[in-house]
Amino acid sequence: MARRRRFRAAEAVAAVLLLALGTACGSRLPESDFERDDRTHPRVPATGDGTPIRVGIVTSATSPVGGDAFTGPRDGAKAYFDHVNARGGIDGRRVEVRQCDDGGSGVGNNECVRKLIDEDVVALVATTVLDYAGAPLVSRARVPDIGGQPIGAAYDTYPHLYSVYGTSAPRNGRPGWDGKLYGGTEVYRYFQREHGARTAAVVSYNQAASAAYARLVERGLRAEGYRVVTEQVDFALPNFRAVAADLKEQGADLVFDAIDGHGNARLCEAMDDVGAEVTAKVTNVQNWTSTVEDDYRDAPRCRNALWATGSSRNFEDTGQAAVREFRDATEGLETHSQWQVEGWAAAKWFTDAARACAKEGITRACVDDRVNSADGYTAGGLLLPVGFEVSPEPPTHSRNCLSVARWQDGEGWVSQGEMTTNCFDVRQLEYEP
């Protein structure tokens, strides 16, 4: 069963939002451009002859929002392919990873996409980019793009692109349903049901993209019956102490934000300084990392009120076999993150599809068909069930689940309940990408 799309902006760091929400998602193509089938490129090996299987990973490794903002999925995917190759590869064939850094620009992204298609990659894996301008070209070439991070609307727009979170959108060349996307309110329902939260604050910059995302969060909170406190700070000269003081005065239970990571750390410091205590300072999957203690070193009280929500299993849950396999294979990495887990899951997804295709030939067409027909794929329990069954009508309600963790000094990210049972029947709210 295809999972309904949550407000995807909540899965991207606010620093990305400040740029990405105001960035075009690339040119649109008429449906006729999807008709030519060149998925079985003549130079793509179709039999188990020992020839390496090429996959491509496109990442905005260098970009306007910082050098490490997008690299987690790439690192997780590379670790998984190293893991596979150390165990004999796929059907006796080594996976050869071709990487490309698009520099965070649409021009660079188009160059990366063309380069990798020309290099005969069977698929793209764990794409994580600021501006996926090359998405129409990937779709037209019918190269499966597996387990990408949907920072923009491309994964809800084009066929042959498969977000790590799934979608039920038609993907006919227009975003979502006639240009509209839909997101659930399960995060807000969770804190209301499990922690009795009633008042939520939303902090944003006086910047268009930040303010637009903040309004989206406010809509979801109000739909769940919260009293909402809005706080806006100047992007150039933010007065976080004034915001923190008002959060304390208003008695906010929760704090959500549409600001960057550095701003979040400063906000937390200000909250500690004025004694503003909250049930949860809610962050997103990209900030779900092992570097919290250092990032928030000057805000110990706020740091221990950090909560993260997402759609994948906590990288700290080493009691789970799939997580333990990931951690054992990545023990050499300096840090760990939830995006690494999702990149690992994307690479596993490709590998599972390729193995299923081994007898008939590991081609773009076969891998694409296997992924497109996914019904509740979980990458061995690392993901909430993912699928791509098309819903002709936009959703109004759905049952959505979520993974939840809380930071605690000395223990790291501690899971809160089981993600497959943290589930809620919620409304789906319309929004424009």
Side-chain angles (χ1 to χ4, degrees):
M1 178 183 297
R3 289 188 65 248
R4 301 300 187 190
R5 172 190 175 107
R6 297 195 302 161
F7 289 134
R8 273 302 307 142
E11 303 298 337
V13 72
V16 173
L17 286 165
L18 299 181
L19 294 171
L21 287 183
T23 301
C25 295
S27 60
R28 302 290 182 236
L29 298 179
E31 290 188 35
S32 60
D33 283 338
F34 300 126
E35 292 174 358
R36 182 169 62 88
D37 189 348
D38 58 358
R39 292 178 291 174
T40 51
H41 191 290
R43 289 177 291 167
V44 176
T47 60
D49 59 1
T51 307
I53 302 167
R54 291 179 181 170
V55 299
I57 301 178
V58 184
T59 309
S60 297
T62 56
S63 77
V65 295
D68 59 353
F70 295 89
T71 55
R74 178 202 67 186
D75 294 344
K78 285 174 57 184
Y80 186 81
F81 288 131
D82 287 344
H83 180 70
V84 167
N85 288 336
R87 286 156 180 75
I90 301 172
D91 193 34
R93 299 169 61 186
R94 178 175 170 273
V95 179
E96 182 180 294
V97 177
R98 298 291 180 93
Q99 299 179 68
C100 194
D101 173 12
D102 70 4
S105 75
V107 172
N109 187 261
N110 270 311
E111 290 175 352
C112 278
V113 163
R114 292 181 187 279
K115 175 177 180 289
L116 292 173
I117 291 175
D118 288 346
E119 290 179 358
D120 305 323
V121 297
V122 176
L124 300 180
V125 177
T127 300
T128 310
V129 296
L130 181 60
D131 181 359
Y132 200 175
L137 178 58
V138 174
S139 184
R140 184 169 65 243
R142 303 196 179 210
V143 176
D145 177 346
I146 303 168
Q149 290 289 339
I151 293 169
Y155 289 92
D156 286 293
T157 301
Y158 300 107
H160 313 297
L161 274 60
Y162 303 100
S163 158
V164 73
Y165 305 118
T167 183
S168 57
R171 291 182 296 152
N172 57 9
R174 292 195 65 196
W177 291 262
D178 294 324
K180 304 289 187 180
L181 299 178
Y182 294 78
T185 58
E186 62 273 14
V187 172
Y188 318 126
R189 180 76 61 85
Y190 170 83
F191 285 102
Q192 185 181 76
R193 189 187 76 176
E194 298 297 321
H195 301 284
R198 292 292 180 269
T199 300
V202 184
V203 182
S204 66
Y205 289 127
N206 61 341
Q207 191 269 355
S210 177
Y213 175 56
R215 288 194 295 270
L216 184 61
V217 175
E218 291 166 27
R219 281 184 58 209
L221 287 164
R222 293 187 195 282
E224 290 296 331
Y226 281 85
R227 182 173 75 90
V228 180
V229 177
T230 59
E231 305 281 355
Q232 191 171 87
V233 293
D234 185 87
F235 182 66
L237 297 170
N239 186 347
F240 287 113
R241 188 176 181 85
V243 170
D246 195 51
L247 294 178
K248 181 179 180 181
E249 177 69 22
Q250 296 283 352
D253 301 312
L254 309 176
V255 177
F256 293 86
D257 69 86
I259 61 177
D260 62 303
H262 176 67
N264 265 300
R266 291 183 62 193
L267 174 60
C268 263
E269 291 171 25
M271 289 171 64
D272 272 20
D273 287 345
V274 303
E277 298 187 26
V278 295
T279 299
K281 171 70 179 70
V282 187
T283 189
N284 53 63
V285 69
Q286 194 182 20
N287 291 328
W288 191 338
T289 74
S290 61
T291 63
V292 166
E293 197 150 16
D294 183 58
D295 295 342
Y296 293 83
R297 58 185 175 275
D298 296 324
R301 186 165 55 243
C302 181
R303 180 175 69 230
N304 282 278
L306 286 175
W307 293 63
T309 65
S311 302
S312 52
R313 193 169 295 282
N314 184 1
F315 71 84
E316 302 271 26
D317 282 349
T318 53
Q320 297 282 338
V323 177
R324 190 163 58 250
E325 183 181 34
F326 161 76
R327 291 298 296 267
D328 288 346
T330 58
E331 62 181 353
L333 295 179
E334 291 184 7
T335 63
H336 285 95
S337 73
Q338 208 58 26
W339 261 17
Q340 290 171 359
V341 169
E342 294 179 355
W344 172 281
K348 176 173 171 53
W349 199 347
F350 168 80
T351 301
D352 289 345
R355 283 178 172 150
C357 291
K359 288 186 179 179
E360 60 185 279
I362 301 173
T363 64
R364 291 172 178 173
C366 182
V367 171
D368 182 76
D369 289 341
R370 294 286 179 173
V371 177
N372 190 52
S373 62
D375 182 16
Y377 184 78
T378 68
L382 289 176
L383 303 174
L384 286 167
V386 181
F388 301 94
E389 181 181 354
V390 172
S391 173
E393 300 296 328
T396 57
H397 292 77
S398 71
R399 183 167 179 79
N400 290 356
C401 304
L402 70 160
S403 176
V404 185
R406 177 184 181 181
W407 177 268
Q408 292 182 272
D409 286 350
E411 298 183 59
W413 289 102
V414 179
S415 293
Q416 306 295 306
E418 163 56 37
M419 69 177 187
T420 58
T421 58
N422 279 340
C423 303
F424 306 88
D425 294 308
V426 294
R427 291 174 56 191
Q428 295 284 307
L429 302 181
E430 172 189 296
Y431 67 102
E432 294 185 4

